[in-house]
Amino acid sequence: MVPPLILASGSKTRQALLKNAGLQFTAAPADVDERAIEEGLPSDERDPVSVAKHLALAKAMEVSQRNPGAYVIGCDQTMSLGDRIFHKASSRDEARQTLKTLRGKAHFLNSAVCLVRDGDLLWSEMSRACMQVRDFSDAFLDGYLKRNGDSVLSSVGCYQLEGEGIQLFDAIAGDYFTILGLPLLPLLAALRDYGINHA
């Protein structure tokens, strides 16, 4: 009998990706303080890629402790412009500032995923996507925020590519699943290697 598979995330998008891929799993959001973990890292490990890796692992480890024998998928995504790591906006005014900062520049989405069992890291992967934001007008920004309301607060970049957020971009380089926060193809391959994914 194959041990249970658990996604250590409450993200509906990540859950939908795994469900649509035909996987049998349960979702159990991790109980971790992401900002405390980030602030507790050594200064040389606070870059956007390292932070995503550490948070993905911390989430998987926390859920693994509560679920002996289960395979646990941990994932995290950071958004970065240079060395600056962005967090979700807490208000529409903050969302406006985030989008003004990104305007006309390229930022990165850094998506980490790992597989843990009984507190042991079995596998991990990091994938990045480069997002080139167009030089949109203030009028467009005002309309975008008005039309999309508080939904802009649900993602760190204040956009969803499957919605009007796609209008913010000139170009995108990277894997679509990475952009959604879960590098799905390497994860599916790893699950096949461990006999969890029989596709």
Side-chain angles (χ1 to χ4, degrees):
M1 184 176 175
V2 177
L5 179 66
I6 301 174
L7 174 65
S9 172
S11 165
K12 298 299 183 188
T13 299
R14 292 182 177 119
Q15 291 173 36
L17 290 176
L18 295 185
K19 182 179 178 181
N20 291 343
L23 294 175
Q24 299 295 317
F25 69 98
T26 57
D31 183 17
V32 298
D33 186 336
E34 295 186 31
R35 298 294 79 79
I37 292 169
E38 188 176 336
E39 290 167 8
L41 293 174
S43 58
D44 63 343
E45 293 185 37
R46 290 189 187 180
D47 61 279
V49 168
S50 295
V51 168
K53 289 179 179 178
H54 279 288
L55 290 176
L57 181 59
K59 292 173 184 178
M61 288 294 188
E62 195 278 329
V63 173
S64 179
Q65 288 175 358
R66 294 189 270 126
N67 295 275
Y71 286 97
V72 180
I73 301 166
C75 38
D76 190 79
Q77 183 187 73
T78 60
M79 187 182 87
S80 57
L81 181 62
D83 290 331
R84 178 181 172 185
I85 298 176
F86 289 75
H87 301 296
K88 286 181 182 178
S90 58
S91 67
R92 289 194 211 179
D93 285 342
E94 195 174 329
R96 181 187 302 278
Q97 285 307 119
T98 293
L99 290 168
K100 280 189 170 184
T101 301
L102 299 177
R103 180 166 55 188
K105 302 183 181 77
H107 65 271
F108 284 92
L109 296 176
N110 315 286
S111 293
V113 61
C114 64
L115 189 64
V116 166
R117 188 181 187 199
D118 292 326
D120 291 327
L121 175 62
L122 304 177
W123 170 88
S124 65
E125 181 78 18
M126 164 58 67
S127 182
R128 304 182 83 200
C130 182
M131 316 291 289
Q132 176 64 54
V133 178
R134 68 185 180 88
D135 191 14
F136 51 78
S137 67
D138 286 345
F140 172 82
L141 177 57
D142 291 341
Y144 172 80
L145 292 171
K146 183 176 181 179
R147 287 187 297 274
N148 290 276
D150 288 343
S151 70
V152 299
L153 308 180
S154 65
S155 65
V156 67
C158 308
Y159 58 79
Q160 287 83 38
L161 287 190
E162 59 272 30
E164 191 184 350
I166 193 66
Q167 296 272 12
L168 295 167
F169 297 95
D170 278 332
I172 294 171
D175 175 69
Y176 180 68
F177 301 112
T178 293
I179 295 168
L180 296 184
L182 183 63
L184 187 60
L185 295 177
L187 173 61
L188 294 176
L191 294 177
R192 284 192 291 270
D193 288 343
Y194 282 95
I196 308 165
N197 174 13
H198 301 293

